[in-house]
């Protein structure tokens, strides 16, 4: 009676060492410009070739500017060099590339799924920790470092230890103004930023079953913020209907046999996990982080915590540090925290449904004075669809910037970044010190919550704005 | 390539913080390189230097007896967050060869082993004790013996640690993992032949 995790794992074992380490076959490999150049260079130096170029997709996302003139010029020479290097490496190895002028270009974890590259039952890797996103299809998908990128390029395999298995069951139904982002923030707050270390996580339960693919992608995306090796949701009709007809998905008779196979993947009744957790979605309020770890999430109705209430001296010290960095006073209402910037984007929350939810809050409103707000679609295809639905008009009329796809302000690597001391309501996934730019302060929240903050100029309970 | 690691006796630097993420180890704006070298100068940049680039006097790396230390002793969940191997390259470029902590981010842990940076998991109380000793006597040395799988603190107390037999062998010999895997070429070929029959949709060209 195996779990879905074990079923998919066992299918991919090429060989196993006596100590239990497995040589896993890798079905799909995505590469971006930041973590791949050293891998391609090392291959070249060793005189090795990419084993199965047709299993790869290359896409620039981290460094790309999101301004309209990016095809004419990229100011930063180092960014330009990384993007050009990706282009050359892809060309030389015969790897498909969604370049900056391609409508399919976007954040690697957004563009892969929407083009049907990620299927149930597969293994997928990328030199990026948020590869965990792709597990939403019922796949083993995990982030790797550059040495492993090189190994996967050369051999189409990776040596991996079997993970411990955890099931997180989400019961109940989400209330109005609550989204998948709030559910995953609440889960991370519950199990901790290191709570998933060494584990593969299956998200299950009625609330997850009711979620769309986009919502499942948001949940799996932040698995890594709990330290989990990978996260997944068992495939079902929602998965199949999302995939059917996507460019790289199987067609015709092959589609039929694929679906029949995928239906055998879900965890068997009575299968046991190393650890079980559960959370009731109906009790989750919209969440917002106050500190510098994703585990620092609280209901928006709450208060900045007081370190003097914390008995553990090490935890107390961490809280004090975080409060100093975030420039917050213990005991203040979260809704009294002002914001300078609002960022709606990233591989966590830049898919079409996220933009629809944010636009629903934005319709007919105006961004508060002194606040700069931006929407950065996760890919060119998301952008086009949003424009067809008129979402861009809603955002532009409300005073948001509507930008070109990329990682943007999720990390301080391209021109979109916070200035020291600036405070941002952000739909991204990491509130680490300096993540959005040196000295920048990040409050993680959902797209609806971020939109609400844009209009009031402070952290806001979106339920009051609906 | 894995840089060989057998044993080491060196100055240990205390970094008494939990959840030290890879953005803190090496901020994203320094990742715009297509090389592996030169990142040591940027290690812990935001903690080590102020906005003008001046050293922050309290940060352990800037405290004279710790300078050039080769062992880092840190809190829980070291190396969490981004998969950037640049974090390992930056540590090694600075000269760090081993990190002692109660737990590590999984991807960081893997990346460290692939480069010859030894990640040593010890019990939280043991790490706390070592941090106390090297904080109270700056410049004190810790020894690490990989074949014997033990760490000896400045006071002479010895702690055992676990490591998989394969990564251990790779570290001890400085092996090229890809070459080892390519010895399984035939098994990989066979896997692909079977896969094309069983799940042909996974072998369509992108
Ligand atoms: S959007 Fe952010 S988290 Fe996602 S891949 Fe880009 S930088 Fe990483």
């Amino acid at each position: 009676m195996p779990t879905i995790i074990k079923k998919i794992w066992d299918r991919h074992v090429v060989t196993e060492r006596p100590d239990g380490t497995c040589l896993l076959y890798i079905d799909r490999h995505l590469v971006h410009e930041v973590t791949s150049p050293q891998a391609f260079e090392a291959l070249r130096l060793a005189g090795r070739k990419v084993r199965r170029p047709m299993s790869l997709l290359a896409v620039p996302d981290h460094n790309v500017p999101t301004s309209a003139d990016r095809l004419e010029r990229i100011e930063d020479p180092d960014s330009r060099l990384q993007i050009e290097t990706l282009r050359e490496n892809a060309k030389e190895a015969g790897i498909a590339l969604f370049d900056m002028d391609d409508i399919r270009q976007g954040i690697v974890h957004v563009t892969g799924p929407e083009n049907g590259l990620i299927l149930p039952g597969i293994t997928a890797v990328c030199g990026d920790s948020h590869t965990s996103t792709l597990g939403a299809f019922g796949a083993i998908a995990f982030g790797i470092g550059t040495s492993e990128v090189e190994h996967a390029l050369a051999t189409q395999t990776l040596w991996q230890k079997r993970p411990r298995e955890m099931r997180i069951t989400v019961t109940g139904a989400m209330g109005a103004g609550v989204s998948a982002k709030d559910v995953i923030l609440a889960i991370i707050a519950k199990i901790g930023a290191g709570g998933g270390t060494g584990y593969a996580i299956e998200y299950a339960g009625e609330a997850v079953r009711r979620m769309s693919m986009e919502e499942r992608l948001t949940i799996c995306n932040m698995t890594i913020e709990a330290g989990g090796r990978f996260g997944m949701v068992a495939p079902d009709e929602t998965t199949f209907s999302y995939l059917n007809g996507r460019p790289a998905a199987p067609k015709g008779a092959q589609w039929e046999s694929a679906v029949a196979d995928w239906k055998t993947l879900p965890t068997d009744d009575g299968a046991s996990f190393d650890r079980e957790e559960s959370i009731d979605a109906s009790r989750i309020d919209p969440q917002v982080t106050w500190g510098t770890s994703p585990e620092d999430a609280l209901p928006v109705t709450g208060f900045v915590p007081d370190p003097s209430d914390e008995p553990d001296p090490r935890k107390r010290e961490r809280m004090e540090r975080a409060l100093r960095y975030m420039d917050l006073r213990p005991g203040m209402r979260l809704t009294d925290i002002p914001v300078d910037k609002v960022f709606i984007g990233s591989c966590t929350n830049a898919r079409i449904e996220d933009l629809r939810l944010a636009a629903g809050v934005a319709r007919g409103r105006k961004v508060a004075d002194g606040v700069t707000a931006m929407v950065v679609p996760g890919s060119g295809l998301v952008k086009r669809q949003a424009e067809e639905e008129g979402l861009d008009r809603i955002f532009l009329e409300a005073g948001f910037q509507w930008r070109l796809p990329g990682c943007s302000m999720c990390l301080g690597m391209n021109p979109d970044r916070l200035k020291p001391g600036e405070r941002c309501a952000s739909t991204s996934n990491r509130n680490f010190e300096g993540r959005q730019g040196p000295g920048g302060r990040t409050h993680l929240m959902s797209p609806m919550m971020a939109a609400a903050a844009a209009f009031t100029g402070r952290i806001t309970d979106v339920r009051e704005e609906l | 390539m894995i840089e060989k690691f057998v044993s080491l006796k060196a100055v240990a630097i205390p970094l008494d913080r939990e959840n030290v993420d890879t953005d803190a180890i090496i901020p994203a704006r320094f990742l715009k390189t297509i090389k592996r070298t030169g990142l040591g100068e940027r290690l812990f940049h935001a903690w080590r230097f102020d906005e003008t680039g001046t050293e922050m006097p309290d940060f352990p790396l800037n405290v004279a007896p710790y300078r050039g230390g080769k062992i880092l002793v840190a809190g829980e969940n070291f190396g969490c967050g981004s998969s950037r191997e640049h974090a390992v390259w930056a540590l090694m470029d600075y000269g760090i060869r081993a990190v002692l902590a109660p737990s590590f981010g999984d991807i960081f842990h893997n990346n460290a082993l692939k480069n010859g940076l030894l990640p040593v998991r010890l019990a939280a109380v043991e790490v706390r004790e070592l941090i106390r000793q090297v904080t109270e006597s700056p410049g004190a040395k810790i020894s690490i013996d990989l074949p014997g799988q033990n760490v000896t603190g400045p006071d002479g107390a010895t702690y055992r640690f676990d490591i998989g037999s394969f990564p251990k062998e790779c570290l001890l010999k400085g092996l090229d993992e890809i070459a080892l895997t390519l010895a399984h070429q035939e098994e990989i070929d066979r896997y692909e032949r079977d896969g094309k029959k069983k799940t042909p949709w996974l072998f369509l060209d992108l």
Side-chain angles (χ1 to χ4, degrees), chain A residues 49-76:
Chain A
K49 289 225 162 333
V50 177
R51 182 180 166 98
R52 234 188 96 198
M54 292 309 193
S55 70
L56 278 120
L57 169 69
V59 56
D61 56 3
H62 283 62
N63 265 317
V64 299
T66 59
S67 48
D69 63 349
R70 71 182 186 188
L71 289 180
E72 287 89 67
R73 61 199 182 107
I74 299 176
E75 296 278 355
D76 180 45

Side-chain angles (χ1 to χ4, degrees), chain B residues 2-173:
Chain B
I2 301 179
E3 203 172 308
K4 238 168 127 163
F5 190 109
V6 182
S7 63
L8 176 68
K9 179 169 187 178
V11 168
I13 310 167
L15 187 64
D16 193 7
R17 296 184 190 184
E18 293 175 13
N19 298 328
V20 173
D21 56 74
T22 52
D23 277 84
I25 299 173
I26 182 89
R29 63 190 185 285
F30 303 124
L31 309 184
K32 296 182 198 184
T33 168
I34 56 172
K35 303 275 170 237
R36 294 173 197 240
T37 48
L39 291 163
E41 288 166 41
R42 311 297 195 184
L43 179 67
F44 295 119
H45 195 272
W47 293 345
R48 207 166 137 202
F49 305 103
D50 67 12
E51 302 83 65
T52 66
T54 313
E55 288 188 353
M56 313 264 253
D58 294 340
F59 190 67
L61 261 57
N62 298 330
V63 175
Y66 296 126
R67 260 181 222 278
K70 292 187 185 310
I71 298 173
L72 193 67
V73 196
E76 301 268 356
N77 205 18
F78 184 86
C80 61
S82 150
S83 65
R84 60 189 70 164
E85 198 159 313
H86 308 68
V88 171
W89 299 334
L91 285 161
M92 290 187 74
D93 194 57
Y94 178 86
I96 306 281
R97 289 302 312 277
V99 183
L100 279 47
S103 61
F104 293 90
D106 283 317
I107 306 175
F108 176 87
H109 189 265
N110 271 348
N111 290 343
L113 290 172
K114 309 282 171 199
N115 287 273
L117 174 71
L118 180 67
V120 178
R121 279 196 200 101
L122 294 175
V125 284
E126 297 169 350
V127 170
R128 227 166 299 160
E129 176 56 24
L130 289 171
I131 287 183
R132 190 188 64 77
Q133 289 181 36
V134 300
T135 306
E136 284 172 8
S137 331
K141 291 185 174 170
I142 290 179
S143 327
I144 302 170
D145 168 32
L146 180 57
Q149 292 181 214
N150 60 57
V151 169
T152 307
D155 66 350
T158 294
Y159 312 100
R160 227 192 112 69
F161 65 88
D162 285 332
I163 181 169
S165 53
F166 183 72
K168 179 175 172 180
E169 193 187 323
C170 289
L171 282 168
L172 288 173
K173 298 190 181 148

Side-chain angles (χ1 to χ4, degrees), chain A residues 297-366:
Chain A
L298 285 174
V300 64
T301 49
F303 299 84
V304 174
D306 189 340
S308 61
D309 297 338
E310 173 57 57
D312 179 340
R314 295 173 61 81
K315 291 220 174 82
R316 188 160 61 231
E317 211 176 293
R318 195 185 77 72
M319 281 169 81
E320 283 165 354
R321 240 193 95 72
L323 291 181
R324 260 198 312 278
Y325 183 85
M326 294 299 290
D327 192 26
L328 295 174
R329 274 177 294 107
M332 72 188 284
R333 267 179 203 286
L334 293 172
T335 49
D336 285 340
I337 300 173
V339 301
D340 306 302
K341 292 246 159 91
V342 172
F343 170 58
I344 297 178
S346 90
C347 56
T348 315
N349 282 130
R351 285 170 285 272
I352 188 69
E353 281 191 6
D354 301 310
L355 304 192
R356 285 183 195 135
L357 287 169
V361 178
R363 196 183 302 274
R365 312 223 27 200
K366 287 276 178 241

Side-chain angles (χ1 to χ4, degrees), chain A residues 139-188:
Chain A
I140 290 181
F142 54 95
I144 55 179
T146 300
S147 295
E148 288 187 313
V149 170
E150 181 192 346
H151 191 283
L153 289 173
T155 69
Q156 205 66 29
T157 63
L158 285 174
W159 291 101
Q160 295 287 315
K161 276 179 79 152
R162 285 182 187 273
R164 284 175 288 170
E165 298 177 8
M166 176 175 358
R167 176 160 59 192
I168 299 180
T169 304
V170 190
T171 58
M174 295 184 285
V178 179
S179 68
K181 180 65 164 287
D182 303 297
V183 172
I184 189 62
L185 283 171
I187 289 172
I188 297 163

Side-chain angles (χ1 to χ4, degrees), chain A residues 212-276:
Chain A
S212 64
M213 269 330 290
E214 279 86 349
E215 292 176 293
R216 294 174 186 184
L217 286 157
T218 299
I219 298 271
C220 290
N221 172 273
M222 289 191 74
T223 301
I224 185 69
E225 299 331 318
R229 283 179 58 188
F230 50 91
M232 66 169 76
V233 174
D236 58 11
E237 289 305 325
T238 303
T239 323
F240 308 148
S241 59
Y242 178 95
L243 285 171
N244 198 358
R246 303 246 165 202
K251 310 261 162 357
Q254 245 178 26
W255 170 258
E256 300 303 325
S257 33
V259 171
D261 176 60
W262 297 342
K263 286 183 174 165
T264 68
L265 292 172
T267 295
D268 291 352
D269 288 340
S272 71
F273 286 78
D274 299 299
R275 183 171 160 197
E276 296 259 12

Side-chain angles (χ1 to χ4, degrees), chain A residues 105-125:
Chain A
Q105 182 271 339
I107 305 169
V108 62
H109 315 305
V110 174
T111 196
E114 72 186 358
N115 286 286
L117 268 74
I118 309 302
L119 303 172
I122 70 167
T123 48
V125 296

